[in-house]
Amino acid sequence: MSADRGHRHSDQPIPSLPHDLSPPHRGSLPTSPSSHTPSARPATDPVPPVVSQLVFDVVLQPALSSLLASHPADVVDELRTSFAVSETTNPGISYLLVAALIETQTNDKSILLAESLLRLSREVSLQESATPELANVFSKAQALKDILSRIPEEINERSRFLNTIKDIASAIRDVLDAINETLKLYGGEELASRRKVVEDHKKDFVKYSKKFSDTLKLYFKDLRVHNVYSSSIRLTAQINQILNALRLMTP
């Protein structure tokens, strides 16, 4: 994006977001990740298990399923079980494996993997497993995941990205409202322990929403695309955690 183009949108209002998600000022957006200075290279952080699980779901699972066309089902199932057990016993290994494979092809493995995960995350849908009672929250959650997956396509277009931030704000509110309404349907003591799990995941979802807010604020100062991608992925992964926990509440 040229400087002139950035100034052309400089008077556009910044959308109001939940958890104080609004950007701090109206600085121009980067034209591409390659425009970053070397100091803006992403730091190496521990891989959250929920993020590695997302890698397993959106990268490894589809890859394994594609093998069914040319390999015996029992062989593929054995591989799938081995990967699943490895991820359970060594959280983060799925992420590290895929990152290592990408590293053999590019020096920008962090940005490439983060961007790919965001784009692919919309493909992981649990809606088909939702009961009628859970249909609304599953639908709202999928809508939020779809919006987050658009970030790589829109982050370099200021006007579009500001609209996307606005859409994310609305979708976060919708998901929280839907979760609260759904929990009202499961008030019995027999479900108290499972309801507590959902409540805990909801707290984590709020926490990651606030971290996403902080990341956006920093992005409008330091223009680190990778940090926005990573924060979006963690939020997406937490959505999946909530949906899985809700699904376990139903008979």
Side-chain angles (χ1 to χ4, degrees):
M1 182 184 300
S2 66
D4 290 340
R5 188 174 184 180
H7 289 308
R8 188 156 54 241
H9 296 295
S10 62
D11 292 330
Q12 181 171 350
I14 301 296
S16 175
L17 303 180
H19 312 306
D20 193 24
L21 281 171
S22 56
H25 63 80
R26 301 176 181 180
S28 59
L29 300 185
T31 56
S32 68
S34 61
S35 66
H36 297 173
T37 60
S39 61
R41 298 288 296 176
T44 300
D45 297 318
V47 181
V50 292
V51 173
S52 190
Q53 181 63 46
L54 187 64
V55 173
F56 181 80
D57 291 338
V58 306
V59 178
L60 294 181
Q61 283 278 37
L64 291 169
S65 296
S66 70
L67 295 177
L68 289 172
S70 56
H71 294 77
D74 58 336
V75 173
V76 176
D77 287 341
E78 186 175 351
L79 273 174
R80 181 180 287 110
T81 300
S82 296
F83 275 116
V85 170
S86 296
E87 181 59 39
T88 300
T89 57
N90 299 277
I93 196 169
S94 296
Y95 182 98
L96 295 175
L97 171 63
V98 175
L101 291 173
I102 291 176
E103 188 175 17
T104 64
Q105 303 297 323
T106 176
N107 291 326
D108 294 327
K109 65 174 183 177
S110 296
I111 291 177
L112 181 58
L113 179 54
E115 180 177 345
S116 298
L117 281 177
L118 265 184
R119 293 181 186 275
L120 291 170
S121 63
R122 75 183 78 179
E123 306 300 329
V124 179
S125 173
L126 298 174
Q127 284 184 267
E128 67 276 2
S129 63
T131 63
E133 295 82 5
L134 300 180
N136 183 51
V137 67
F138 271 59
S139 175
K140 300 299 185 184
Q142 186 64 44
L144 175 55
K145 287 168 60 178
D146 289 346
I147 298 169
L148 289 169
S149 72
R150 299 198 321 248
I151 288 178
E153 302 166 7
E154 301 177 354
I155 194 168
N156 294 326
E157 294 285 343
R158 181 179 179 81
S159 179
R160 292 177 64 190
F161 188 42
L162 291 178
N163 285 331
T164 298
I165 293 174
K166 184 177 180 179
D167 291 341
I168 291 171
S170 178
I172 288 174
R173 294 189 191 98
D174 289 343
V175 169
L176 288 172
D177 289 344
I179 293 172
N180 290 334
E181 288 300 316
T182 300
L183 287 176
K184 292 178 182 178
L185 302 175
Y186 300 95
E189 286 299 321
E190 68 279 5
L191 293 175
S193 61
R194 295 184 181 181
R195 192 168 58 251
K196 174 66 165 53
V197 172
V198 175
E199 290 281 5
D200 288 343
H201 282 309
K202 188 182 77 169
K203 291 178 182 177
D204 288 338
F205 176 71
V206 172
K207 178 181 70 176
Y208 282 118
S209 296
K210 292 179 178 179
K211 287 185 176 181
F212 182 69
S213 165
D214 294 338
T215 301
L216 282 178
K217 290 179 181 179
L218 289 175
Y219 171 71
F220 280 84
K221 295 179 180 178
D222 60 28
L223 306 181
R224 296 187 180 184
V225 174
H226 174 268
N227 290 344
V228 177
Y229 289 171
S230 296
S231 185
S232 302
I233 289 169
R234 295 185 184 205
L235 191 57
T236 297
Q238 194 56 48
I239 294 169
N240 290 342
Q241 293 287 98
I242 292 175
L243 297 186
N244 281 319
L246 282 170
R247 186 174 55 179
L248 292 176
M249 285 185 59
T250 60

